[in-house]
Every structure is written in C-alpha cells, then in structure tokens.
Amino acid sequence: KVNTVSLEDLRAVTNKGIRAVQDFLEAQATSVVEEQPKEGGGTVQQKLKKMVVGKTLYTWEEGAERAAAGTLTSVAKSNLSKKLVDSVGEVNFLKGPNVMDSFWAKEYNKPGFVSAATGGGGKMTVYNNESVGPSTIAHEAAHNLAEKIWGSMTPDEHSNYARAQKKEKPVSSYGAIHPREDWAEAVGLYETDRATFKKKFPLKYAAVEEMLR
C-alpha cells in the first residue's frame, strides 16, 4: 500500500527548506520494485519510490529524490487552481531524457529540443532528474485539463479560447508552435502572473479564467 499525505502536511515541511522536504519524502514514501520496459525490448527491475499527495500519485526513480522534492515544493507553494490539480492523477520523475525528444524536435522545428516535462492522459512526467516550477506544472496540467474538457489537447474550435486565439497573438514563442501549446502557455501565465496576462491578452485571460473557475 502506498502511503498518503495531505497537501497541508507537505506545505508545512516546505517552509523548512528543500533538505527537509527530501527527508520528509524519504520518511513517508513507499519503496517498491517494479518491472519496467527497457530499450530494445524486455523488462528490467527498477527501484522506485511512491507517495500520494492529496489525490495525486508521485513516483520517482531511485536517485531522483531532489527533483521530486523541488517539484513538490513548487506544488505546495503555488496554490494552483483546483481543476488543474485534479486533472493530474499521476506524476513521474525520470533521471533520463524524454525518448520522444527527437520526434518533437522535428515536429516543432526546434533542433536539440529537450523536454523538461510532458503532460497527457491524466499524467505528468518530469525528465533529466530536474525539478520544475509552477509555470511548467500548470502548463503540463493544462494539457490534461484540455483532454478532459475537449477530448483533445487542442482547444475546441467552438470554445471561447479558440475564438480568442483568432483575435490575439500567441502568448509566447513556444505557444506560437501550435494552438495546444498556446493554451498551455496561457494557463501557465494565468497561474504565475495574472496581471500581465490580463493586460496583454484580455480575451484569452477571460477564457482561461472561465475554464478554471
């Protein structure tokens, strides 16, 4: 059985610093050994740590404790919208890169592209043994929320957000890559700098606020 802690308990620990959070995870997480697929076929046994925070299952590879601690600190301190939090049922931390990076580098015409994290299917994966902050967490959660609302990461053409996209420029250079990334970037900005977002993109701001209420 995987141990469960409340978000409030995690928040209390984050005030003591990253080392305290790592110690908290070490004490509270459940150690498991699972069969994982390996490159070239077959499986390999891997030591993992698991812990449920609120309703979300967090899993990290042995040696990725600091990445998990840093990201969970951001989760605890950021006070993300409930719909975003609820859209992510599982978060995984990997020490290695996203095996799909070469595909996305070609798809997005960004040579050398490296994923910090990805979202979809109710999950979020964080790569390269790095922690991510509130903007990235909100961005990846937004992909999951889009799937729940529209059945796709891309905003429905009849949605208020899609209408706003036709009237306002992309939120960022990364958002200009694809409408789904513009939506996710917009949610990230909404969660981290609402004043700027509302001033520069009033239509998108109103659409995102409507979706997250």
Side-chain angles (χ1 to χ4, degrees), residues 3 18 25-26 28 39 54 57 61 65 71 79 90 107 127-128 134 142 144 149 192 198 204 209 211:
N3 194 28
I18 191 69
L25 298 187
E26 181 62 30
Q28 297 294 331
E39 191 173 349
L57 173 64
E61 296 179 346
E65 292 81 6
T71 302
N79 196 30
E90 188 175 326
E107 180 79 3
Y127 302 98
N128 300 308
N144 288 303
I149 295 171
T192 57
K198 187 175 184 178
K204 289 182 178 180
E209 186 168 57
M211 301 297 286

Short mmCIF file of all heavy atoms in Angstrom, two decimals, residues 3 18 25-26 28 39 54 57 61 65 71 79 90 107 127-128 134 142 144 149 192 198 204 209 211:
data_model
loop_
_atom_site.label_atom_id
_atom_site.label_comp_id
_atom_site.label_asym_id
_atom_site.label_seq_id
_atom_site.Cartn_x
_atom_site.Cartn_y
_atom_site.Cartn_z
N ASN A 3 1.80 5.04 0.79
CA ASN A 3 1.47 6.00 1.84
C ASN A 3 0.88 7.28 1.25
O ASN A 3 1.28 7.72 0.18
CB ASN A 3 2.73 6.33 2.64
CG ASN A 3 2.41 7.03 3.95
OD1 ASN A 3 1.35 6.84 4.53
ND2 ASN A 3 3.34 7.84 4.43
N ILE A 18 14.48 22.75 1.22
CA ILE A 18 14.50 21.59 0.34
C ILE A 18 15.03 20.34 1.02
O ILE A 18 14.55 19.23 0.78
CB ILE A 18 15.31 21.90 -0.95
CG1 ILE A 18 15.09 20.80 -2.01
CG2 ILE A 18 16.78 22.08 -0.63
CD1 ILE A 18 13.72 20.78 -2.59
N LEU A 25 10.16 13.14 2.27
CA LEU A 25 9.86 12.16 1.24
C LEU A 25 10.49 10.81 1.57
O LEU A 25 9.87 9.76 1.37
CB LEU A 25 10.36 12.64 -0.13
CG LEU A 25 9.75 13.93 -0.69
CD1 LEU A 25 10.22 14.15 -2.12
CD2 LEU A 25 8.24 13.90 -0.65
N GLU A 26 11.71 10.85 2.07
CA GLU A 26 12.40 9.61 2.42
C GLU A 26 11.65 8.86 3.52
O GLU A 26 11.54 7.63 3.49
CB GLU A 26 13.83 9.92 2.88
CG GLU A 26 14.66 8.70 3.25
CD GLU A 26 14.89 7.75 2.09
OE1 GLU A 26 14.93 8.20 0.94
OE2 GLU A 26 15.02 6.53 2.35
N GLN A 28 8.35 9.24 4.30
CA GLN A 28 6.94 8.97 4.00
C GLN A 28 6.72 8.09 2.77
O GLN A 28 5.68 7.44 2.66
CB GLN A 28 6.19 10.30 3.81
CG GLN A 28 6.16 11.19 5.04
CD GLN A 28 5.36 10.58 6.18
OE1 GLN A 28 4.43 9.82 5.97
NE2 GLN A 28 5.73 10.94 7.40
N GLU A 39 14.93 -0.41 -23.29
CA GLU A 39 15.19 -0.15 -24.70
C GLU A 39 15.66 -1.43 -25.39
O GLU A 39 16.51 -2.16 -24.87
CB GLU A 39 16.26 0.94 -24.84
CG GLU A 39 16.42 1.48 -26.25
CD GLU A 39 17.36 2.66 -26.31
OE1 GLU A 39 17.72 3.19 -25.25
OE2 GLU A 39 17.72 3.04 -27.43
N GLY A 54 -2.32 14.37 -1.48
CA GLY A 54 -3.70 14.70 -1.81
C GLY A 54 -4.33 13.53 -2.53
O GLY A 54 -4.52 12.46 -1.96
N LEU A 57 -0.68 10.57 -7.30
CA LEU A 57 0.40 9.63 -7.05
C LEU A 57 1.70 10.15 -7.65
O LEU A 57 1.77 10.45 -8.84
CB LEU A 57 0.06 8.28 -7.68
CG LEU A 57 1.17 7.21 -7.66
CD1 LEU A 57 1.51 6.82 -6.23
CD2 LEU A 57 0.77 6.00 -8.48
N GLU A 61 12.28 7.59 -9.63
CA GLU A 61 13.35 6.61 -9.66
C GLU A 61 14.30 6.85 -8.51
O GLU A 61 14.48 7.98 -8.05
CB GLU A 61 14.12 6.71 -10.99
CG GLU A 61 13.30 6.37 -12.22
CD GLU A 61 14.11 6.51 -13.49
OE1 GLU A 61 15.20 7.11 -13.46
OE2 GLU A 61 13.64 6.02 -14.52
N GLU A 65 15.39 11.88 -5.99
CA GLU A 65 14.69 12.46 -4.85
C GLU A 65 14.68 13.98 -4.86
O GLU A 65 13.67 14.60 -4.52
CB GLU A 65 15.31 11.96 -3.52
CG GLU A 65 15.12 10.49 -3.24
CD GLU A 65 16.13 9.60 -3.97
OE1 GLU A 65 17.05 10.15 -4.62
OE2 GLU A 65 15.98 8.36 -3.90
N THR A 71 10.05 19.80 -7.13
CA THR A 71 8.76 19.95 -7.80
C THR A 71 7.62 19.96 -6.80
O THR A 71 6.69 20.78 -6.90
CB THR A 71 8.56 18.81 -8.82
OG1 THR A 71 9.63 18.83 -9.76
CG2 THR A 71 7.23 18.97 -9.55
N ASN A 79 -0.24 27.01 -5.03
CA ASN A 79 -1.70 27.15 -4.90
C ASN A 79 -2.38 27.16 -6.25
O ASN A 79 -3.17 28.07 -6.58
CB ASN A 79 -2.04 28.42 -4.11
CG ASN A 79 -3.47 28.43 -3.60
OD1 ASN A 79 -4.05 27.37 -3.34
ND2 ASN A 79 -4.06 29.61 -3.48
N GLU A 90 -1.29 11.40 -11.76
CA GLU A 90 -0.01 10.72 -11.56
C GLU A 90 1.13 11.58 -12.09
O GLU A 90 1.03 12.15 -13.18
CB GLU A 90 -0.04 9.38 -12.29
CG GLU A 90 1.13 8.47 -12.04
CD GLU A 90 0.97 7.12 -12.71
OE1 GLU A 90 -0.19 6.64 -12.80
OE2 GLU A 90 1.99 6.55 -13.15
N GLU A 107 9.04 17.77 -35.12
CA GLU A 107 7.65 18.21 -35.20
C GLU A 107 7.54 19.72 -35.01
O GLU A 107 6.77 20.40 -35.69
CB GLU A 107 6.81 17.48 -34.15
CG GLU A 107 5.34 17.84 -34.12
CD GLU A 107 4.52 17.18 -35.20
OE1 GLU A 107 5.08 16.36 -35.97
OE2 GLU A 107 3.32 17.46 -35.28
N TYR A 127 11.56 15.08 -16.58
CA TYR A 127 12.74 14.39 -17.10
C TYR A 127 14.06 14.96 -16.59
O TYR A 127 14.12 16.03 -15.99
CB TYR A 127 12.73 14.46 -18.64
CG TYR A 127 11.50 13.88 -19.26
CD1 TYR A 127 10.45 14.71 -19.66
CD2 TYR A 127 11.35 12.51 -19.43
CE1 TYR A 127 9.29 14.18 -20.23
CE2 TYR A 127 10.20 11.97 -19.99
CZ TYR A 127 9.17 12.81 -20.38
OH TYR A 127 8.02 12.30 -20.93
N ASN A 128 15.12 14.18 -16.87
CA ASN A 128 16.51 14.62 -16.68
C ASN A 128 16.87 14.95 -15.24
O ASN A 128 17.76 15.76 -14.98
CB ASN A 128 16.81 15.83 -17.59
CG ASN A 128 16.61 15.48 -19.05
OD1 ASN A 128 17.16 14.50 -19.54
ND2 ASN A 128 15.81 16.27 -19.76
N PRO A 134 6.22 26.27 -10.92
CA PRO A 134 4.77 26.42 -11.08
C PRO A 134 4.30 26.60 -12.51
O PRO A 134 3.27 26.06 -12.90
CB PRO A 134 4.46 27.66 -10.23
CG PRO A 134 5.55 27.72 -9.23
CD PRO A 134 6.77 27.21 -9.93
N ALA A 142 -2.38 21.73 -17.84
CA ALA A 142 -3.33 22.29 -18.80
C ALA A 142 -3.57 21.34 -19.97
O ALA A 142 -4.67 21.29 -20.52
CB ALA A 142 -2.83 23.64 -19.32
N ASN A 144 -3.60 18.11 -19.72
CA ASN A 144 -4.54 17.12 -19.17
C ASN A 144 -5.95 17.68 -19.07
O ASN A 144 -6.93 17.00 -19.39
CB ASN A 144 -4.07 16.66 -17.79
CG ASN A 144 -2.84 15.78 -17.85
OD1 ASN A 144 -2.83 14.75 -18.50
ND2 ASN A 144 -1.79 16.21 -17.19
N ILE A 149 -11.73 18.35 -20.96
CA ILE A 149 -12.79 19.26 -21.38
C ILE A 149 -13.17 19.05 -22.84
O ILE A 149 -14.36 18.96 -23.19
CB ILE A 149 -12.35 20.72 -21.17
CG1 ILE A 149 -12.17 21.02 -19.68
CG2 ILE A 149 -13.37 21.69 -21.77
CD1 ILE A 149 -11.53 22.36 -19.40
N THR A 192 0.79 32.18 -12.85
CA THR A 192 2.00 32.79 -12.29
C THR A 192 2.06 34.30 -12.39
O THR A 192 2.80 34.95 -11.63
CB THR A 192 3.25 32.21 -12.99
OG1 THR A 192 3.15 32.42 -14.40
CG2 THR A 192 3.37 30.71 -12.71
N LYS A 198 -3.63 39.37 -18.08
CA LYS A 198 -4.89 40.08 -18.31
C LYS A 198 -4.67 41.35 -19.13
O LYS A 198 -5.49 41.69 -20.01
CB LYS A 198 -5.54 40.43 -16.98
CG LYS A 198 -6.95 41.03 -17.12
CD LYS A 198 -7.58 41.23 -15.75
CE LYS A 198 -9.01 41.73 -15.88
NZ LYS A 198 -9.65 41.89 -14.55
N LYS A 204 -8.01 36.04 -23.98
CA LYS A 204 -7.51 34.75 -23.53
C LYS A 204 -7.59 34.62 -22.02
O LYS A 204 -7.92 33.55 -21.48
CB LYS A 204 -6.07 34.53 -24.02
CG LYS A 204 -5.97 34.29 -25.51
CD LYS A 204 -4.54 34.03 -25.95
CE LYS A 204 -4.49 33.75 -27.46
NZ LYS A 204 -3.12 33.49 -27.93
N GLU A 209 -9.85 31.98 -17.40
CA GLU A 209 -10.50 32.14 -16.10
C GLU A 209 -11.84 31.39 -16.08
O GLU A 209 -12.18 30.75 -15.08
CB GLU A 209 -10.70 33.61 -15.78
CG GLU A 209 -11.25 33.85 -14.38
CD GLU A 209 -11.17 35.30 -13.97
OE1 GLU A 209 -11.75 36.13 -14.72
OE2 GLU A 209 -10.58 35.60 -12.93
N MET A 211 -12.59 28.75 -17.76
CA MET A 211 -12.34 27.31 -17.74
C MET A 211 -11.88 26.82 -16.38
O MET A 211 -12.15 25.68 -16.00
CB MET A 211 -11.29 26.96 -18.79
CG MET A 211 -11.65 27.33 -20.20
SD MET A 211 -13.10 26.46 -20.82
CE MET A 211 -12.43 24.85 -21.09
#
